[in-house]
């Protein structure tokens, strides 16, 4: 008699957890309540000095589809370890301080199609889910336009959370997080994954809660972070060589978007002890770096019509005074 096949788990939720004692239970509970698709939770505690592991173990002991592992410190190492342990058809990355809204999987299930390679869904920092519609990108031109759109606005689109990645594509193409990168490593992963995919669904419903109630890596001032960004940008740029002209042009905007992140969150951050003159000199030195100077040189004036890219236009015209004013406005807006 032929043995019946065991149905594959729908979604593997990978949660890297480092000193996440205050949040980890909230993240776990947000998955436990999900219905309509089968799931497993893979928690990878990495180098915590609090009781993250103990709190996670309480749930691992209670639920057979919750597993906890330990890895060396580093979010990329934790996510890679989680990928090795995952058994689901789809991979969902959840940061330990974030959570999925109730009925999120139910909303995804309504639109899910097996032939899609990537499923995108919205996020917010509110207290509730907002429902939307679904858009398909199943033609080559449509899919490439989607890629360009995402690359141009990385802070909103290139994170690994807020997405479902097809496990088979990750395994077939040996895609993993580069453990040598300390910043923008998730954008690098998303970029390389999308090079190996061809169809996507965008569910405009906001299903993922992005928390602002903690000190994240991006929002915390750390002197010298630009060197880590430059390393990541140069690394990902190597993969654009085999891509289309449109993707390469979009990557110029990606580079400038990251430059603006450095200016807002580091150079002109309130916690930066440098004087005004030192910051201005720091800015000028930064834009002379090859990765940034080339992007500024190659950016088209038509690309700067979006309000997000106006500082890029000022940099292109060497209008540093106006650039600094706009950066300071963004810094102020981030503190509100």
């Amino acid at each position: 008699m032929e043995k019946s096949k065991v149905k594959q788990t729908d979604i593997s939720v990978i949660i890297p957890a480092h000193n996440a004692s205050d949040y980890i239970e909230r993240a776990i509970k947000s998955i436990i309540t999900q219905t309509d698709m089968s799931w497993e939770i893979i928690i990878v505690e990495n180098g915590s000095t609090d009781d993250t592991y103990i709190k996670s173990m309480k749930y691992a002991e209670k639920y057979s589809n919750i597993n906890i592992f330990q890895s060396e410190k580093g979010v990329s190492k934790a996510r890679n370890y989680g990928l090795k342990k995952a058994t689901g058809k789809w991979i969902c990355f959840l940061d330990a301080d974030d959570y999925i809204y109730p009925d999120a999987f139910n909303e995804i299930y309504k639109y899910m199609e097996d032939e899609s390679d990537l499923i995108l869904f919205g996020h917010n920092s509110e207290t509730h889910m907002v429902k939307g519609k679904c858009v398909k990108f199943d033609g080559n031109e449509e899919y490439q336009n989607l890629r360009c759109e995402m690359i141009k606005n990385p802070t909103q689109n290139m994170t690994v959370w807020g997405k479902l990645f097809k496990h088979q594509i990750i395994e077939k193409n040996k895609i993993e997080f580069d453990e040598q990168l300390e910043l923008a490593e998730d954008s690098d992963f998303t970029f390389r994954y999308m090079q190996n995919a061809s169809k996507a669904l965008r569910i405009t419903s906001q299903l993922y809660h992005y928390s602002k109630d903690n000190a994240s890596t991006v929002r915390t001032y750390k002197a010298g972070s630009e060197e880590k960004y430059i390393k990541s940008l140069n690394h990902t740029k190597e993969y654009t060589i085999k891509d289309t002209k449109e993707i390469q042009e979009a990557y110029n905007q990606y580079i400038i978007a990251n430059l603006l992140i450095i200016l807002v969150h580091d150079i002109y951050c309130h916690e930066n002890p440098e004087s005004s003159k030192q910051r201005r000199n720091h800015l000028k030195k930064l834009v002379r770096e090859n990765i940034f100077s080339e992007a500024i040189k190659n950016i088209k004036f038509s690309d700067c019509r979006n309000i997000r890219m106006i500082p890029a236009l000022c940099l292109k015209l060497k209008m540093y005074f106006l650039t600094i004013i706009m950066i300071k406005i963004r810094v102020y807006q981030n503190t509100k």
Side-chain angles (χ1 to χ4, degrees), residues 115-280:
E115 63 266 25
S116 295
D117 297 329
L118 177 68
I119 297 175
L120 314 167
F121 48 92
H123 65 275
N124 63 36
S125 297
E126 307 301 323
T127 57
H128 60 281
M129 175 178 78
V130 178
K131 290 191 177 182
K133 58 182 180 179
C134 178
V135 183
K136 294 183 180 180
F137 301 89
D138 52 7
N140 182 63
E141 184 176 353
E142 293 174 343
Y143 179 73
Q144 295 305 322
N145 287 340
L146 172 67
R147 287 186 65 205
C148 288
E149 174 193 338
M150 291 175 63
I151 292 166
K152 290 175 184 179
N153 191 2
T155 55
Q156 290 295 315
N157 298 312
M158 294 297 284
T159 59
V160 291
W161 44 261
K163 298 173 179 64
L164 293 185
F165 299 90
K166 188 164 279 186
H167 197 178
Q168 183 181 27
I169 291 178
I170 293 174
E171 289 189 319
K172 179 181 177 181
N173 297 284
K174 297 180 172 56
I175 305 168
E176 62 179 7
F177 292 87
D178 191 312
E179 297 177 4
Q180 300 303 311
L181 305 181
E182 297 182 56
L183 291 173
E185 74 290 332
D186 51 348
S187 294
D188 177 74
F189 179 94
T190 301
F191 185 94
R192 289 184 285 113
Y193 179 90
M194 293 192 74
Q195 279 189 320
N196 291 284
S198 60
K199 298 180 181 180
L201 286 177
R202 171 177 275 169
I203 302 170
T204 60
S205 301
Q206 297 170 6
L207 310 177
Y208 186 104
H209 177 91
Y210 172 66
S211 298
K212 292 184 177 180
D213 55 359
N214 72 314
S216 72
T217 302
V218 173
R219 295 192 298 273
T220 304
Y221 168 70
K222 291 183 180 179
S225 66
E226 63 260 32
E227 294 176 3
K228 297 174 183 178
Y229 274 110
I230 291 170
K231 181 178 180 180
S232 292
L233 293 171
N234 280 316
H235 175 81
T236 307
K237 188 177 181 179
E238 294 177 7
Y239 292 95
T240 68
I241 296 172
K242 62 181 181 180
D243 230 312
T244 65
K245 178 183 177 182
E246 289 75 19
I247 293 295
Q248 292 173 5
E249 290 178 350
Y251 194 72
N252 277 334
Q253 293 192 45
Y254 172 90
I255 292 170
I256 291 175
N258 279 275
L259 169 60
L260 298 178
I261 289 173
I262 298 170
L263 294 176
V264 171
H265 294 286
D266 291 300
I267 295 180
Y268 282 92
C269 174
H270 292 311
E271 286 75 24
N272 185 353
E274 293 180 331
S275 67
S276 295
K277 183 178 180 180
Q278 287 174 322
R279 294 184 188 198
R280 183 184 177 89

Side-chain angles (χ1 to χ4, degrees), residues 14 19 32-34 39 62 71-72 76 84 134 143 147 174 180-181 183 241 247 288 319 330:
I14 298 175
N19 287 343
I32 290 173
T33 60
Q34 300 296 328
W39 50 263
K62 185 176 180 180
S71 73
E72 295 180 28
S76 291
K84 291 176 183 177
C134 178
Y143 179 73
R147 287 186 65 205
K174 297 180 172 56
Q180 300 303 311
L181 305 181
L183 291 173
I241 296 172
I247 293 295
R288 287 196 298 268
M319 300 167 65
R330 290 195 186 182

